[in-house]
């Protein structure tokens, strides 16, 4: 059986521990290194007791030589870390998947304006592959560097893709109204993430500009083969996990509800982690909690000229660590669902 030696840089955040959870039962993965500058020497199972019995390894300093002994390295780190180490790793033959945003935006002037720092390795951007398997599976197979998509961008792009590729909606008036659980803000101690600040509340944020906007537009424009005008408004909801994206488009052709349903079902018929639910379904974030599945439904309300798509994912799985493992599986010619066959948790 093929064994893949895995390194994880930044193993103490939510995406890091989610990677550890998923890889613990992966039949082909052997985690060789888990790094954390602040927790070096601390056993993984001491920090995360849910992993007791699965990992007999401690966090270590992110020494490049140790990471070079891996087949693949995941970066579950703040923006700016992966791009500082990736060139040396790929030169040593190590594949890289970055779960942050260092490689997601092709236009580096746009990237630098949103992330406020110079890009450290523009010379490797030409070979970076955007890791949305439903669009780029063939390129992922031979990639050395994967830009793992953001959580909001995953749900929004998957929801809009069938409509844009079929040329059915007005690309000048796209709306993405999206909501995320608090874990999307990361594990750091922040006042805005406290239970007393988020419970029993519901608010929009980033209305004048969210860093996922250029990433989403980049993907939608590739689908439409044209510039698009997108209004993207994220919201914070008082849950831990989950993203729900309600997407609106104005139809440019007269297609029925039945035809829309058929379009979505045909688009994703062969996709292991996209579930187009039956007509009149209402996708719920609870239906994907802990799983790598994206579930969606399409509507033409009251037979009007607006089409509505609702898509749900777990922001830490299909929106982050699960999609990263899915990409790893494709890169190493493993079963695409290896380590990812988790049924969503209910209740």
């Amino acid at each position: 059986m093929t064994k893949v030696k895995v390194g994880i840089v930044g193993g103490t955040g939510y995406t890091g521990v989610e990677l550890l959870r998923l890889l613990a039962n992966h039949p082909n993965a052997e985690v060789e290194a888990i790094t954390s500058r602040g927790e070096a020497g601390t056993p993984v199972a001491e920090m995360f007791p849910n992993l007791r019995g699965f990992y007999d390894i401690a966090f270590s300093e992110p020494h490049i030589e140790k990471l070079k002994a891996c087949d693949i390295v995941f970066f579950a780190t703040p923006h700016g870390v992966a791009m500082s180490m990736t060139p040396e790793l790929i030169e040593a033959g190590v594949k890289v998947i970055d779960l942050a945003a260092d490689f997601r935006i092709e236009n580096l002037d746009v990237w630098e304006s949103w992330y406020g720092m110079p890009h450290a390795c523009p010379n490797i951007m030409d070979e970076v592959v955007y890791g949305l398997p439903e669009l780029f599976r063939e390129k992922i197979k031979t990639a050395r560097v994967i830009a793992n998509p953001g959580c909001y961008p995953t749900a929004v792009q998957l929801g809009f893709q069938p409509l844009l590729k079929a040329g059915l909606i007005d690309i000048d008036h796209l709306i993405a109204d999206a909501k995320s659980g608090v874990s999307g803000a990361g594990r750091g101690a922040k006042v805005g993430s406290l239970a007393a600040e988020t419970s029993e509340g519901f608010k929009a944020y980033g209305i004048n500009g969210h860093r996922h906007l250029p990433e989403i537009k980049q993907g939608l424009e590739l689908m439409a083969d044209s510039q698009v005008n997108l209004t993207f408004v994220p919201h914070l909801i008082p849950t831990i996990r989950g993203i729900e994206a309600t997407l609106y488009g104005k139809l440019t052709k007269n297609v029925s509800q039945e035809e829309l349903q058929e379009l979505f079902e045909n688009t994703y018929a062969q996709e292991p982690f996209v579930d187009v639910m039956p007509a009149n379904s209402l996708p719920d974030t609870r239906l994907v909690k802990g799983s790598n599945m994206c579930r969606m439904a399409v509507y033409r309300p009251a037979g009007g000229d607006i089409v509505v798509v609702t898509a749900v994912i777990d922001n830490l799985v299909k929106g982050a660590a699960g999609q990263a493992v899915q990409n790893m599986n494709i890169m190493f010619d493993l079963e695409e669902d290896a380590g990812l066959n988790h049924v969503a948790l209910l209740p």
Side-chain angles (χ1 to χ4, degrees), residues 97-115:
I97 297 179
D98 178 32
L99 281 77
D102 288 11
F103 304 109
R104 290 176 185 163
I105 299 174
E106 295 177 2
N107 186 324
L108 293 186
D109 290 335
V110 173
W111 187 89
E112 290 175 358
S113 70
W114 280 91
Y115 290 92

Side-chain angles (χ1 to χ4, degrees), residues 261 265 275-284 287 295-298:
Q261 182 72 24
E265 290 180 356
D275 174 27
V276 177
M277 299 179 70
N280 299 314
S281 296
L282 294 171
D284 188 319
L287 303 180
R295 291 199 158 97
M296 63 179 67
V298 59

Side-chain angles (χ1 to χ4, degrees), residues 159-210:
F160 268 133
Q161 183 198 191
L163 299 168
L164 289 173
K165 290 212 166 179
L168 292 180
I169 52 176
D170 181 356
I171 59 176
D172 291 325
H173 298 89
L174 304 178
I175 297 174
D177 180 340
K179 305 93 181 169
S180 175
V182 183
S183 61
R187 192 165 177 253
K190 297 180 285 288
V191 170
S193 300
L194 294 174
E197 301 290 328
T198 58
S199 295
E200 302 179 41
F202 174 37
K203 67 178 181 180
Y205 66 97
I207 299 173
N208 282 328
H210 187 282

Side-chain angles (χ1 to χ4, degrees), residues 5 26 32 67 69 110 125 130 225 232 253 278 299 315 329:
K5 296 179 180 180
H26 194 296
E32 299 286 325
L67 295 172
V110 173
M125 287 300 296
Y130 188 68
D225 195 25
F232 169 57
K253 298 178 183 179
Y299 283 82
N315 56 294
N329 291 341

Side-chain angles (χ1 to χ4, degrees), residues 169-251:
I169 52 176
D170 181 356
I171 59 176
D172 291 325
H173 298 89
L174 304 178
I175 297 174
D177 180 340
K179 305 93 181 169
S180 175
V182 183
S183 61
R187 192 165 177 253
K190 297 180 285 288
V191 170
S193 300
L194 294 174
E197 301 290 328
T198 58
S199 295
E200 302 179 41
F202 174 37
K203 67 178 181 180
Y205 66 97
I207 299 173
N208 282 328
H210 187 282
R211 68 175 184 269
H212 281 158
L213 177 61
E215 179 187 347
I216 297 171
K217 284 193 66 178
Q218 175 180 272
L220 299 186
E221 288 174 348
L222 188 62
M223 297 172 196
D225 195 25
S226 179
Q227 289 190 337
V228 305
N229 182 23
L230 171 70
T231 300
F232 169 57
V233 181
H235 300 73
L236 181 67
I237 55 177
T239 61
I240 296 172
R241 291 175 180 250
I243 278 181
E244 191 279 341
T246 304
L247 314 174
Y248 303 86
K250 186 174 183 180
L251 289 168

